Amino acid sequence: MAAAEAPLSGVGWTATPEAAPAGWTVITVTAEGAAANLGKGFGQRSGGYICVRTGGGQDAPVVTDVQVLSERSPQPPGYTRAPEFPEPRSRKKRLYVQVVPRAAATTAVCDLQLSSKTKILPHYMKIGEMGNFAIWCKKKEVPKPSPPPIPRPRTISTGMRQLLLHPPDSGDINQFSSAPGPPCPAAASQVPLSTSLPAPFMASQPWMGSLSPCTPNSSPNSAPVLTLSLQT
């Protein structure tokens, strides 16, 4: 019997246990423990063993059904004749398997067993008879791969949220606005004390502010200048 409970990926014939390719398991005994060599006899021109294959990864196809039909029966649609090792032989009864992609399968064959014709195997389904044996299969649901994990949304702490959303206090703005600025640089807006502007000109320019004294960062002998504050 096939010991593996994983979905089968192949079912075939082999003339001898040694003739089965690597990766195939030969069913050499029946459920009662007798030799499972089908042998020559009624409905069987050539002897041999049934073998099965499992594995192949998550992308490997799986066997969803197995049928035992006579050589005169037409091949069922969607089924293929089971391969034979080392070469095909003439048989009155043939094995046909249905193989589909794993993603498209809901159930699959996970085990095959042989027994005497009078034996009943619980949890197995009889698919036919060959020689002196009854052939049974067991099916189960095909496990599906788990979906990828969904990333959890990142949470922002209360302190970080307040830091991002809370506007600065007015006191903070006043603190920055009342802070003394750097020394006045010498620029075009600074006018020497000796320079006087006519009063009519000052009256006609409302955007001009008051003149305040400022001493630039220069040598001690630098002349004091007036800073002209522009108001708009």
Side-chain angles (χ1 to χ4, degrees), residues 39-64:
K40 295 182 180 181
F42 178 76
Q44 191 73 9
R45 293 195 184 103
S46 302
Y49 299 84
I50 295 178
C51 55
V52 296
R53 179 178 61 184
T54 58
Q58 292 295 327
D59 297 330
V62 295
V63 177
T64 56

Side-chain angles (χ1 to χ4, degrees), residues 30 61 70 93 130 137 166 175 185 194 214 222:
T30 66
S70 68
K93 287 192 175 182
M130 190 172 291
C137 81
H166 185 65
Q175 178 182 0
S194 59
C214 176
S222 300

Side-chain angles (χ1 to χ4, degrees), residues 86-218:
E87 60 185 10
R89 297 187 179 186
S90 177
R91 302 181 186 276
K92 287 186 176 181
K93 287 192 175 182
R94 299 172 178 174
L95 284 175
Y96 291 93
V97 296
Q98 184 183 56
V99 181
V100 301
R102 180 184 292 262
T106 55
T107 60
V109 179
C110 63
D111 192 18
L112 285 181
Q113 286 200 36
L114 274 66
S115 72
S116 62
K117 294 182 179 180
T118 58
K119 179 74 172 179
I120 302 297
L121 300 185
H123 310 297
Y124 282 75
M125 178 178 64
K126 186 177 180 178
I127 60 176
E129 295 180 353
M130 190 172 291
N132 297 323
F133 303 101
I135 303 178
W136 304 79
C137 81
K138 181 181 180 182
K139 295 184 179 182
K140 72 173 188 177
E141 293 185 358
V142 178
K144 300 297 182 180
S146 302
I150 301 177
R152 298 180 58 184
R154 298 181 62 183
T155 58
I156 303 177
S157 62
T158 304
M160 181 63 69
R161 187 180 296 109
Q162 293 179 351
L163 180 63
L164 296 176
L165 302 180
H166 185 65
D169 296 336
S170 58
D172 297 336
I173 298 178
N174 295 334
Q175 178 182 0
F176 286 106
S177 60
S178 60
C184 300
S189 61
Q190 295 175 347
V191 184
L193 287 175
S194 59
T195 304
S196 61
L197 297 177
F201 174 78
M202 295 289 291
S204 64
Q205 305 296 328
W207 52 269
M208 299 184 66
S210 60
L211 297 177
S212 59
C214 176
T215 303
N217 288 338
S218 58

